[in-house]
Amino acid sequence: MDTTDNLDLPYIMPSQAQKHVTHNEAIGMLDALVQLGVADRDLAAPPGAPANGARYIVAAAATGDWSGQSGKIAHRFDGAWSFYAPKPGFLSHVADEDIFVFWTGAAWAPLDGVLSALQNIALLGIGTTADGTNPFSAKLNKALWTAKTVSEGGDGDLRYTLNKETAANVLSLLLQTGFSGRAELGLIGDDNLALKVSPDGSGWTTALTVDKTTGQFTINNAFNLNAALNIAGAALTISRDGAPSLVRLISYRDTNATHATFAADVARGSLAAPAYITNTGLMAEFIVRPWDGTAVGNAASGRLAFRASENHSASARGTRWTIELTPNGGTATAEVGSLDHATGLSLFTIPVIDANRHFRLRSYTIATLPSASPAGQMIHCSDLGGGGGQVNSDGSAWRRVSRGGQQAVASDADFTLTVLTSAEEQRHTGTLTANRAVTLSATNAYAGARFRLTRTGGGAFTLSLGGLKSLATNTWAEAVYDGSAWYLAAYGAL
């Protein structure tokens, strides 16, 4: 055998001439391979001016003087390149990446990708130096712990366990600013969960405690929350600066009746001697009290209130709900809506849906009709021609909801038909002693408004419908408004 088993170092053979050549070759190989460290592993061709003794891992697809040597260790020696094939387990430091790689038998791979166990390490520093006070130290911007999944052989859970020796010891998470404590969360000197805060790392205040046995929740030694919340002598105030306040109640149950409940339990009298609420008595309210130039909470600008609508007793507990708002330019609230079991839903103290679930439209006369803008308004008009009824607005005019009634006219004189004021169906029953005229007024008229005039009265004279058609006895005519004028739509004989 001419070479060694592992590094292929040449043996000096018996009776070999120039033994120093073989010896020097072996020494050169040792210099190249022992304590291996290469300058680069990404070059596929030799660098321009390599230093004598420089070592490289030849990259794939090698060219030039490195052609055919991919994966091997290139060693610059006496102005020439020597190449050595790596053996499985060869370890090398790569200077330009500051990492260790090893030969798998087929390729060079980062060493950190195969480390599976580090046991009984006395110190570990990541990005910084560990010491006796902090034997594990890390200096970094992000850290991640994630559960090993079922597909990876885990159970999908991640439980981070911390343990202390006795209850009197401390087990906590300490949060610092500039290495000065500001908050501490954990089992601090006992087995109750506590959160402490500090402005300077010296003086500490216990902000929150959860009792290990009862689960009772204590905030700053003043606010205790367990199964019920009891506050005596003061209101519960939640103040937030620069962000909206939020109170949220979430309820989980094992039945389909799951719900979150806000209950206002009220009585007259005292805790020791409660009494029934009396009629109009306030039982619960939600008040909006904005800044009034001096402070918040001085004056209300909006209110939702529940009030008694009768004297309460064991068998009578009538209740009324009201909404109060402040009008623009005002400072006092006024009722804008209410819900009462007897009167139904009211707006501005007037019922709009009664207890029978009937709509109540506001009533006007023709003379007091409001503006028809905006479109979509619905009101009741009490003195429409042919009887009162509902009218709707189209944005520019008021329209009857249905055909607008019938009227009989017996006059032997000229007369005028006006939309809304006059019924749409007109029947003239009088006897004419001269030709008479019926004026079609544009007042209240809208595109599509119409009048139908039927003459059944006697006399040899005619009745002119707006100058559009002269009607003899037992004839009829219909006129329609097109938005600018009346026109004859139809006529005929009875």
Side-chain angles (χ1 to χ4, degrees), residues 128-145:
T128 187
T129 302
D131 55 32
T133 302
N134 298 290
F136 172 62
S137 299
K139 188 175 185 179
L140 61 169
N141 293 117
K142 292 184 178 180
L144 171 67
W145 295 81

Side-chain angles (χ1 to χ4, degrees), residues 433-488:
T433 60
N435 291 333
R436 305 298 184 188
V438 179
T439 300
L440 297 175
S441 173
T443 301
N444 300 331
Y446 54 85
R450 65 182 60 236
F451 285 111
R452 181 186 177 98
L453 177 60
T454 302
R455 184 180 171 207
T456 60
F461 299 96
T462 60
L463 185 63
S464 175
L465 178 60
L468 301 174
K469 181 67 176 176
S470 294
L471 300 178
T473 188
N474 293 326
T475 61
W476 62 272
E478 187 171 293
V480 177
Y481 193 73
D482 65 2
S484 59
W486 292 94
Y487 69 91
L488 183 65

Side-chain angles (χ1 to χ4, degrees), residues 184-275:
E184 187 173 13
L185 174 67
L187 310 180
I188 307 171
D190 54 35
D191 283 344
N192 299 315
L193 178 63
L195 171 63
K196 295 184 177 183
V197 292
S198 173
D200 54 13
S202 178
W204 290 84
T205 299
T206 300
L208 179 151
T209 303
V210 181
D211 187 270
K212 67 180 184 300
T213 303
T214 65
Q216 184 169 339
F217 188 84
T218 302
I219 296 179
N220 200 22
N221 296 318
F223 177 30
N224 301 308
L225 180 60
N226 192 7
L229 171 61
N230 299 305
I231 300 177
L236 172 62
T237 301
I238 302 174
S239 299
R240 299 188 69 186
D241 192 359
S245 295
L246 174 67
V247 177
R248 185 170 63 167
L249 177 63
I250 303 176
S251 175
Y252 296 94
R253 295 187 180 178
D254 294 330
T255 68
N256 290 331
T258 298
H259 65 284
T261 301
F262 174 81
D265 300 326
V266 295
R268 291 173 58 243
S270 64
L271 183 62

Side-chain angles (χ1 to χ4, degrees), residues 362-421:
R362 185 170 181 178
S363 186
Y364 293 82
T365 64
I366 293 175
T368 61
L369 285 175
S371 171
S373 179
Q377 300 176 77
M378 293 188 301
I379 61 174
H380 178 267
C381 191
S382 61
D383 59 348
L384 294 176
Q390 181 180 329
V391 292
N392 291 350
S393 71
D394 63 3
S396 59
W398 289 99
R399 298 171 178 256
R400 288 179 181 264
V401 173
S402 59
R403 296 303 294 264
Q406 186 180 70
Q407 286 178 319
V409 182
S411 172
D412 182 21
D414 297 338
F415 61 94
T416 299
L417 296 180
T418 304
V419 173
L420 299 183
T421 302

Side-chain angles (χ1 to χ4, degrees), residues 77-104:
F77 183 67
D78 283 343
W81 292 102
S82 298
F83 301 95
Y84 307 105
K87 302 289 186 178
F90 267 31
L91 183 68
S92 175
H93 179 261
V94 182
D96 70 331
E97 299 178 56
D98 195 22
I99 64 170
F100 282 92
V101 295
F102 74 103
W103 179 252
T104 66

Side-chain angles (χ1 to χ4, degrees), residues 283-303:
M283 297 190 294
E285 63 180 344
F286 175 81
I287 308 174
V288 178
R289 299 186 297 193
W291 173 261
D292 67 352
T294 302
V296 294
N298 284 347
S301 64
R303 183 192 310 266

